[in-house]
Amino acid sequence: MKSFTLPTSIIAIAALLVSIAAARLSVEARTGKTAVSKRAALDGIAQGVLLPSYAEFAGRCSELAVAVDALAAAPTAASLASAKQAWGAAHLAWRRAQTFAHGPIADLSVYGRIQFWPSRRQSVERVVRAQRPIDDDYIQELGAGAVGLSALEVLLFDARKDDAARVTSFAGPQGERQRQYARALARELVNKSQLVLNAWRGGFAASFAAGGQDNVNLIVNDVLAAIESGVQNRLRGIIDLQGAAAIAPDLIEGALSGTSQQGILASLVGAKATFSGGDGAGLDDYLRQLNAPAARRIEAQFQKAIAAVKAIDGPVERVVVANPQIVVRAHDECRALEIMMKTEVVSTLGVTLTFKSTDGD
Amino acid sequence: MRALAAGRASARSLLDRLSVALLAHPVDPASLAAFRFLFGLVMALAMIRFIALGWVDEFYVRPAFHFTWAPFGWIRPLPGWLMHLHFAALAVCALCVAVGFHYRAAAALFFLGFTYVELIDKATYLNHYYLVSLLSGLLVFLPAARLWSVDAWRGPQVDAAKVPAWTINILRFQLAVVYVFAGLAKLNADWLLDAQPLGLWLAARSDVPLIGTMLSERWVAYAFSWSGALYDLSIVFFLLWRRTRRVAYLTVFLFHMMTGVLFPIGMFPWIMIAATLIFFPAEWPRRWLRGSNVVSDTQPVVRPAVSTRVAALIAAYCLIQVLIPLRSHWPGTHHEWSGKGFNFSWRVMLVEKSGYVEFVARRPSAATEWRVPVSTYITERQERMMAQDPEMVRALARRIADDLRAQGMGDVEVRANAFASLNGRPVQPLVDPRVNLAGPLPSHWIVPLERDSDVRLTKFSPPDPAPVDRH
């Protein structure tokens, strides 16, 4: 019986370890992954998601302006319904596009003027009651609480009136000021959304990919902000409020228009698209290249969170009263997604976290 | 019996010869002087860099809470401007060490001042800062200013042609400990079988010019991991062997330059590039500085003596330096996950860990609980470091509880929803969210690292969100 010497044993162990490592490497090679560089991922996000999102939002704003003009020209139940529908489409387009809060939208100081929440009903009513003629200069001077989608929501969906009363508020000489205000708000939305779109088309989208790791950091932080602030905290807030005798619609984003669930879903879908680059290359592909199991887990968790929010199936403030568990489940799935993003994605992509909303509680 | 006695005598003779060769043998003090100069210079630059980058404020002045080390909980940072002054003084001390001006006092002050800074906050711990403390502590006892120093120039009585070999060998030993234990720590499944965390770090540098695309290749991560482990385990041997020393030092230079370019490891490459010159023969600087006289062994010198007490102290120091990192190889816990035994063990570049923590305070008597914001206590950087270390999570929980108790909430409990991901693994709970971290801890308060990733994935479920009382 031949005994093993120390050098032989060391060589045998080393050979075994090399074999295991080589086997793992060959398994990875057989998975058929497509190489996606950081640059390609960023370019895919800019050209495949962000630019089309801003284009869609600008288009929806134009449709909203047309609908508001029609309402102002002939206030009827039909024109009001049409304006409300156009508002809803613009709002959801914005919620899908709003994930990336940097670039032209920040540089041009447009973000808060498109939608500021919580909405300031008193500010809107003050403008309606004021004497100064409503023109573009006046709108520019107003604070974020009295402009943008939220202000228009107050005018179109005033919770204290039924549709007939809302139509009346736009009609006749007494409705002149409200008509002017609504048209000016819609016009400003068109201008601002076009301004942002032009900046993206004018070279920002093309240069985005060159931002490298800095832009990866921005994307991941903004996706996290959308998941945490735009989705999870919104759900959390409604869950916390469910004990109140009556949930004030002003405290819930989209409650006036009955779009709270659709808005939250749009934010989540927008966050996913911003991360994954939609159908094209995105950070999910880049992540898959670095850590395939983590990429699979993130994708699965996104799907679970989206399915859980879809399952709410109605305004969240109403569903939470009848079936709180379904809202709690959606919150928990989004929270799990947030934690996965903050640990696995941050760790794999080498992201420096700058966003956190926990201190805002 | 006679053979036994002869064997004993032979062993004793060998031991004597070995102790003379390693401890008492007279050697040229030139390499010690070069070490002093380079170390002092690098440290002065490091202190200036610390001030210039705003780290004094960020690390020591701004945080309201510091994660102190267990036996040194009483150590506190100085008030703002004094902390800046302290770092300026450290830079001056380092320069004094470099030029050998009041050398021993300067080395002692630098050692004490730097170690004080390192003991303020666990969140600033780095292996190479620990190495700086050890090397500066050793310098206090080494006759490194006997040559090419202001002290030697001002007082010829401190000059001497030779120093005992232990004064150089102890520095070699210290560096050998770093490399060898760093190599041993890399003999683990993550490093060798999954090429992690290097696989993640290298791929994240895919935008580096020229070599970037190659860095995201998995085989490159494996090549770096395996060669890195072999390098750490063998470099000391090649530095000690005369025939390979020059090539080995060239690889030291290239290796540390490359890691310095690829990874954010600050002054570490420069410290190691400067320090490993100590492996060259003691007279190497004289060969570099043409014109200086090479002290040959034929010159008459006073043979330095090494007392038994000094030899015992050296042996004790070496033993401690081996035992401390050895504790991190004790089985039973995953040191990178639990943090136990991780620090002071030269477990270098083994961890890519990201965490998430939120604290929940609860008053059983009032049946209320609420999330506690941490930004009033710690900075974002401290938060990132805390989220990786259960002991730091516990430390802040205790502080939060102390503060709430001081506000009259005597029965308050503080729990943490803490999650982390290690080396690309799925995220999992780091500490048990049911445990009141402000009270006595059960033995299982740190959740063990799951071994089966599929199990981890299906088992992962965040705890119920705490109902939030908005105060």
Side-chain angles (χ1 to χ4, degrees), chain B residues 120-134:
Chain B
I120 291 173
D121 199 327
K122 208 187 277 189
T124 64
Y125 173 84
L126 285 175
N127 280 301
H128 68 269
Y129 288 162
Y130 172 47
L131 178 62
V132 166
S133 271
L134 292 175

Side-chain angles (χ1 to χ4, degrees), chain B residues 418-438:
Chain B
F419 303 88
S421 165
L422 175 70
N423 291 346
R425 288 180 175 81
V427 61
Q428 68 158 82
L430 182 65
V431 302
D432 189 334
R434 296 165 301 183
V435 171
N436 171 23
L437 297 174

